Amino acid sequence: MQEVAGKRGAPAPFRLSGRRNATKVAGEVQRKRVLVVDDNESVREILSRVLSWYEVEVKEACNGFDALSLLTKYNFRLVLTDLQMPGMDGVTL
């Protein structure tokens, strides 16, 4: 595994379109709160683990209703949601 900014296991920065790169984007959300919403626990775990490499505070919800509850309690810089979930889909959320 490659080492980035002293964090073992963090991926090397990848190039995004335009002038911005992943390191810059990660810096913008660093010390920010992100909500990950997915009914698949494995997906939530992977996304949370990757975001934690960039010192992002992650909250997780397994459905749209739990996500709405968290949205009333916290301010989130970003919400990553599955589009197809039982009960309330990501679009409705």
Side-chain angles (χ1 to χ4, degrees), residues 8-82:
R8 182 168 179 77
F14 57 91
R15 189 79 179 138
L16 297 175
S17 61
R19 292 181 229 153
R20 300 174 68 152
N21 62 40
T23 302
K24 184 173 182 178
V25 171
E28 290 174 1
V29 295
Q30 193 170 22
R31 286 179 282 242
K32 304 295 182 192
R33 192 175 291 125
V34 174
L35 176 59
V36 175
V37 187
D38 200 303
D39 55 326
N40 185 321
E41 184 177 359
S42 297
V43 172
R44 290 193 317 269
E45 183 179 330
I46 290 167
L47 288 172
S48 295
R49 190 172 294 177
V50 170
L51 289 167
S52 71
W53 289 337
Y54 298 103
E55 298 177 13
V56 173
E57 180 184 348
V58 179
K59 300 286 185 187
E60 296 181 17
C62 61
N63 60 54
F65 299 107
D66 289 347
L68 281 178
S69 176
L70 289 171
L71 285 166
T72 62
K73 294 178 185 177
Y74 301 98
N75 291 321
F76 292 96
R77 177 78 174 204
L78 177 67
V79 176
L80 298 173
T81 183
D82 186 0

Side-chain angles (χ1 to χ4, degrees), residues 1-13 23 53-54:
M1 290 193 186
Q2 297 180 355
E3 189 170 319
V4 176
K7 298 201 181 298
R8 182 168 179 77
T23 302
W53 289 337
Y54 298 103

